Amino acid sequence: MDKEGECCSTHLIEGDGTFNAVGLDNFIKQVKLGECGLSYAVVAIMGPQSSGKSTLLNHLFHTNFREMDAFRGRSQTTKGIWIARCAGIEPCTIVMDLEGTDGRERGEDDTAFEKQSALFALAVSDIVLINMWCHDIGREQAANKPLLKTVFQVMLRLFSPRKTTLMFVIRDKTRTPLENLEPVLREDIQKIWDSVPKPEAHKDTPLSEFFNVQVVALSSYEEKEEQFKEQVASLRQKFFQSVTPGGLAGDRRGVVPASGFSFSAQQIWKVIKENKDLDLPAHKVMVATVRCEEIANEKYSSFVSNEDWLELEEAVQSHLVPGFGKKLSSLLSKSLSSYDEEATYFEDSVRSAKKRQLEDKLLQLVQPAYQLMLEHIRSETSNHFKNALTDALSGGQGFAVAARDCTTKFMSLFDEQCQDAVIKQASWDSTKVRDDFSRDLDSHIAQVRTAKLSEHTALYESKVREALHGPVEALLEGANDDTWPAIRKLFYRETESAVSEFSFTLCGFEMDEQEKEDMISKLKNFARGLVEGKTREEAAKVLYHMKERFTSIFNHDNDSMPRVWTGKEDIRTITKTARSSSLKLLSVLAAIRLDEETDAIGNTLILTLVDSKKDTTAADPLASSTWEEVPSAKTLITPVQCKALWAQFQRETEYTITQAIASQEANKRNNNWLPPPWAIAAMVILGFNEFMTLLRNPLWLLFIFASYLLLKALWVQLDISGEFRNGALPGILSLSTKFIPTVTNLLRKLAEEGQTPVNTDATRNNSNSSRITQGNNSGLSSTASSDVTMGNEREYTSPQK
């Protein structure tokens, strides 16, 4: 790198006082001053115009400031203030070349800029070189006296001045030894210090409190160039490690960190231009405030755009992120550490305050993600809890034990996951979320408990319904004197069985006795309500059941066989029995008798409706709306309703009785086929001659007998009674189509039987086979005909319909 590129000289302040902020920022970036922290030094040089300041700096620090061309005359070379980096010196050293004092270009009265530039140099520099001619030492009106006076005056304008090293560089020294020149110079300096008006606070403050004075002498550059260069090279060595203890600026105070140098310099110049007294501690705080805030903003912006943070934030939007707290704490720690690294040299109180602000902003930024993480933990842990509770209950574990174990387990898991999500930099309390999670578990447990209790209740109600509904219905349908005792026995047996099992099931819920008793009581009431409801349902159909029972008993005998009304049955007795049984059904359904209480409903109904005697003076027991000894709540059919139902029952069953009586009469008529006795006597008397004729001629008997057999066979073969069963006209039509084929077939069989020998088994067998074959053939012409068996086993059978 060439010399010019390395020193990066820049015009810092124009001759008219304009501060080149952009140029300074570029300069700081080029020389990487912002990375130096407190390890940097600022050197400024003052002196009369054309006193060789730029030349000295170029040789001493290898800079490239513009030097005066002696061949063109002596004139102003440096205007304003220039800044450059000292090449090859560590730590980083910045040198400022100030415009010379006492120049003819500004004139005698324009000294404002001189004072402003001097104050600026003293405020920002650690080392100030005062360039002066050797032959001016000891002169009262020498050009350096006004300069020194200006330096001391502006120094006192600093409320709390820095400890600055003043290095007097004596140029073009003569043969007079430096040991002799230095005391004179120091004496002159002290006189100037003493003569400068001071504020009350610094009236007795010695010069050493403000300045560390050093004196060096250099030979003439024009006359003894080589010697000048050697002395400059020796002086250059003093600027190496100048800020370390014992260095030229080793005891400096109130240093602005390098990253804040640009802003500090701008603000100092602004205050100086406004002609205000500088308050360096306040200025230091102000610089620290601005720079720390800038650094904090940079770190905040950097964190916001950090890819790791963006990925973490996006991930936590959809699911639980393992190690969330550790990852986020690491990102925050890196951001805060980076802030500490850049702001470490600024004022402690300001740095700490801005760090707290940065931390608060970062925590405020990440808090929604943290809260979302807690919600994920709450949601997922709650889901796992629900599944675990369901599995535990499915495995047969008691509800209370399962709920307690799962609650303990998942509360611990929730606490562990919340601890995993904790951000070290934050002191956020997750108690509220934990309480919400606990309430979620309690709510779910309550819901599951209610559902399980309802499920068990429904299960045992179903068992009770299954055990009671059908049997009670059957017992009521077969109502008799033992119906209600049987129902009570069934009711108590099944209810106690269900209650015992239900009570054992409820033990797993560890509920209090009162709640348990209430649920058992509800089950008992359900069973009672089921029986009562079924009884009410059957009572509503009592008339139907009475008619069904009457019909069943009236139309069937004791063996449950259908009755055939032959005329021998006692219809009156049967009717009374059937009606008594139906009345028993009415008495059973008239009231609910689950409790062992006696009543006289059955006797009252029998005495009033069955065994009643016509007594108009006696009071009617059924002329009432209540039964004695039976509460109205248990009454299903009132006495008045019973009387009305019985009357309707009798009316609707009279037809059945009438039909039975008519059937008896018809059977009697059908079974009496013989004529009356007088008709038989008349037939005997009137037919005596014909009877005697038959006795005298046996062939007529044979003919009559043969005709009888033939007609009997035709009767059987044609199934005349069966044909006329469907009516006279259909029977006649059917017989007309079958008569001739049947007669023909019968005669043919008789002829065949007469021709076939019957004395051998073989012949009989053949004849039987032939008869069967012929019978089958004859079936083609008449479906109503059947085989006629001949020989010893001959009989006539009617065809099967």
Side-chain angles (χ1 to χ4, degrees), residues 348-602:
D348 289 344
S349 59
V350 177
R351 182 180 71 246
S352 300
K354 295 301 179 181
K355 182 179 180 180
R356 286 193 296 271
Q357 292 179 7
L358 172 61
E359 189 173 359
D360 291 342
K361 287 181 65 177
L362 292 175
L363 292 178
Q364 187 176 3
L365 174 68
V366 303
Q367 189 174 22
Y370 172 76
Q371 293 295 334
L372 194 56
M373 181 67 181
L374 292 184
E375 288 300 322
H376 285 314
I377 294 174
R378 172 184 171 186
S379 176
E380 292 197 12
T381 309
S382 179
N383 291 335
H384 291 322
F385 168 82
K386 294 175 183 178
N387 295 334
L389 181 60
T390 301
D391 293 341
L393 295 177
S394 300
Q397 194 172 4
F399 180 84
V401 176
R404 187 165 50 249
D405 292 346
C406 289
T407 300
T408 302
K409 176 182 177 182
F410 285 94
M411 285 301 296
S412 299
L413 178 61
F414 178 82
D415 291 337
E416 291 176 4
Q417 291 180 328
C418 285
Q419 188 63 34
D420 181 62
V422 167
I423 300 172
K424 293 189 298 182
Q425 292 81 1
S427 56
W428 295 326
D429 188 6
S430 60
T431 303
K432 184 179 182 301
V433 180
R434 191 180 191 277
D435 293 341
D436 292 340
F437 175 71
S438 179
R439 283 193 291 270
D440 290 344
L441 299 191
D442 294 340
S443 176
H444 181 70
I445 290 173
Q447 291 177 359
V448 174
R449 185 177 186 272
T450 302
K452 286 294 180 182
L453 289 176
S454 299
E455 180 182 337
H456 289 305
T457 301
L459 174 63
Y460 285 100
E461 287 179 353
S462 175
K463 289 184 177 180
V464 169
R465 182 183 292 106
E466 183 178 355
L468 294 179
H469 188 273
V472 168
E473 182 178 5
L475 288 172
L476 291 174
E477 289 178 355
N480 54 48
D481 293 334
D482 296 330
T483 295
W484 278 109
I487 290 176
R488 283 194 295 269
K489 183 178 179 181
L490 174 68
F491 169 73
Y492 289 125
R493 183 181 71 248
E494 297 298 337
T495 301
E496 288 301 322
S497 175
V499 165
S500 177
E501 294 180 10
F502 189 52
S503 178
F504 178 77
T505 302
L506 295 181
C507 291
F509 290 86
E510 297 181 2
M511 59 178 61
D512 58 80
E513 289 299 323
Q514 184 60 45
E515 185 180 5
K516 184 177 179 181
E517 289 299 325
D518 291 343
M519 297 194 68
I520 292 174
S521 178
K522 288 180 180 178
L523 182 61
K524 291 180 179 179
N525 292 336
F526 174 80
R528 178 176 289 273
L530 183 67
V531 174
E532 293 180 354
K534 189 60 185 175
T535 306
R536 294 179 188 276
E537 180 183 342
E538 296 300 321
K541 301 182 292 183
V542 63
L543 181 60
Y544 170 79
H545 290 308
M546 290 171 66
K547 291 190 294 183
E548 286 289 319
R549 173 169 287 195
F550 175 84
T551 302
S552 177
I553 296 175
F554 188 81
N555 291 329
H556 296 81
D557 58 18
N558 293 332
D559 296 328
S560 300
M561 297 297 293
R563 294 184 189 275
V564 178
W565 303 106
T566 61
K568 299 177 181 180
E569 295 82 9
D570 187 356
I571 292 181
R572 182 179 297 277
T573 302
I574 294 173
T575 301
K576 185 175 181 180
T577 302
R579 283 181 172 177
S580 297
S581 181
S582 298
L583 188 62
K584 175 60 68 178
L585 177 63
L586 179 61
S587 68
V588 169
L589 293 176
I592 298 172
R593 302 177 180 87
L594 271 180
D595 299 320
E596 295 183 5
E597 299 174 353
T598 59
D599 59 69
I601 296 177

Side-chain angles (χ1 to χ4, degrees), residues 304-352:
V304 169
S305 60
N306 186 285
E307 292 184 0
D308 294 335
W309 155 245
L310 294 177
E311 292 178 0
L312 189 62
E313 184 183 28
E314 182 179 359
V316 81
Q317 297 295 323
S318 58
H319 62 273
L320 189 148
V321 180
F324 174 82
K326 185 177 180 181
K327 294 177 181 177
L328 191 52
S329 296
S330 176
L331 293 176
L332 291 172
S333 179
K334 289 180 181 178
S335 181
L336 295 175
S337 298
S338 178
Y339 169 84
D340 287 335
E341 290 177 2
E342 293 192 27
T344 184
Y345 301 113
F346 290 100
E347 183 70 22
D348 289 344
S349 59
V350 177
R351 182 180 71 246
S352 300

Side-chain angles (χ1 to χ4, degrees), residues 19-40:
F19 192 95
N20 185 11
V22 176
L24 178 60
D25 290 338
N26 293 333
F27 170 80
I28 290 175
K29 291 179 182 178
Q30 289 180 354
V31 302
K32 298 181 180 179
L33 180 63
E35 302 175 3
C36 296
L38 296 180
S39 183
Y40 77 101

Side-chain angles (χ1 to χ4, degrees), residues 103-372:
R104 68 180 180 83
E105 285 79 3
R106 291 194 179 270
E108 182 179 355
D109 299 325
D110 190 8
T111 59
F113 185 80
E114 294 180 3
K115 292 181 180 181
Q116 290 172 354
S117 59
L119 182 56
F120 177 78
L122 290 173
V124 301
S125 301
D126 303 301
I127 304 170
V128 177
L129 302 180
I130 298 180
N131 196 51
M132 58 185 304
W133 298 109
C134 179
H135 54 262
D136 288 334
I137 298 176
R139 295 181 181 178
E140 186 65 24
Q141 301 297 327
N144 285 328
K145 289 287 183 77
L147 176 60
L148 290 177
K149 194 169 185 178
T150 298
V151 169
F152 293 153
Q153 285 177 346
V154 297
M155 193 64 169
L156 291 175
R157 290 181 60 188
L158 300 177
F159 182 77
S160 179
R162 298 152 46 99
K163 184 79 177 281
T164 306
T165 298
L166 281 182
M167 177 176 286
F168 290 88
V169 181
I170 301 174
R171 304 290 299 276
D172 296 351
K173 69 174 182 176
T174 60
R175 295 180 180 179
T176 304
L178 181 61
E179 293 79 5
N180 296 334
L181 294 175
E182 185 174 351
V184 176
L185 181 59
R186 288 184 180 274
E187 183 179 352
D188 291 341
I189 293 171
Q190 188 63 46
K191 288 180 179 179
I192 297 172
W193 175 256
D194 294 338
S195 63
V196 172
K198 304 179 185 65
E200 194 66 28
H202 297 291
K203 195 168 186 179
D204 298 326
T205 303
L207 176 65
S208 59
E209 183 69 19
F210 290 87
F211 298 105
N212 177 21
V213 179
Q214 293 194 13
V215 180
V216 297
L218 299 176
S219 299
S220 173
Y221 173 67
E222 295 181 355
E223 296 178 1
K224 301 177 180 179
E225 183 177 355
E226 293 299 326
Q227 189 175 0
F228 172 83
K229 291 181 179 180
E230 291 177 2
Q231 293 170 351
V232 168
S234 176
L235 177 61
R236 175 182 171 85
Q237 297 302 316
K238 293 184 179 183
F239 288 90
F240 283 89
Q241 305 301 328
S242 59
V243 297
T244 58
L248 287 178
D251 56 350
R252 62 180 180 169
R253 296 191 296 266
V255 184
V256 175
S259 61
F261 178 79
S262 175
F263 177 76
S264 175
Q266 293 180 55
Q267 293 300 315
I268 289 175
W269 182 249
K270 180 179 179 182
V271 172
I272 292 173
K273 286 287 290 182
E274 293 174 356
N275 198 23
K276 297 179 180 179
D277 290 341
L278 278 177
D279 186 350
L280 290 185
H283 174 77
K284 183 179 179 182
V285 171
M286 182 268 295
V287 173
T289 301
V290 173
R291 279 298 299 144
C292 288
E293 187 168 353
E294 290 178 352
I295 295 172
N297 291 336
E298 291 174 2
K299 300 309 171 187
Y300 179 81
S301 300
S302 177
F303 184 89
V304 169
S305 60
N306 186 285
E307 292 184 0
D308 294 335
W309 155 245
L310 294 177
E311 292 178 0
L312 189 62
E313 184 183 28
E314 182 179 359
V316 81
Q317 297 295 323
S318 58
H319 62 273
L320 189 148
V321 180
F324 174 82
K326 185 177 180 181
K327 294 177 181 177
L328 191 52
S329 296
S330 176
L331 293 176
L332 291 172
S333 179
K334 289 180 181 178
S335 181
L336 295 175
S337 298
S338 178
Y339 169 84
D340 287 335
E341 290 177 2
E342 293 192 27
T344 184
Y345 301 113
F346 290 100
E347 183 70 22
D348 289 344
S349 59
V350 177
R351 182 180 71 246
S352 300
K354 295 301 179 181
K355 182 179 180 180
R356 286 193 296 271
Q357 292 179 7
L358 172 61
E359 189 173 359
D360 291 342
K361 287 181 65 177
L362 292 175
L363 292 178
Q364 187 176 3
L365 174 68
V366 303
Q367 189 174 22
Y370 172 76
Q371 293 295 334
L372 194 56

Side-chain angles (χ1 to χ4, degrees), residues 719-769:
D719 189 18
I720 294 174
S721 61
E723 294 292 345
F724 281 96
R725 189 180 298 115
N726 296 325
L729 182 61
I732 293 173
L733 294 175
S734 177
L735 290 174
S736 65
T737 59
K738 296 192 298 183
F739 180 76
I740 295 175
T742 302
V743 171
T744 304
N745 188 34
L746 183 60
L747 292 175
R748 185 172 61 251
K749 288 181 180 180
L750 290 174
E752 290 175 356
E753 289 290 336
Q755 295 175 1
T756 304
V758 296
N759 55 349
T760 63
D761 293 338
T763 302
R764 184 163 53 250
N765 291 337
N766 292 334
S767 128
N768 290 336
S769 300

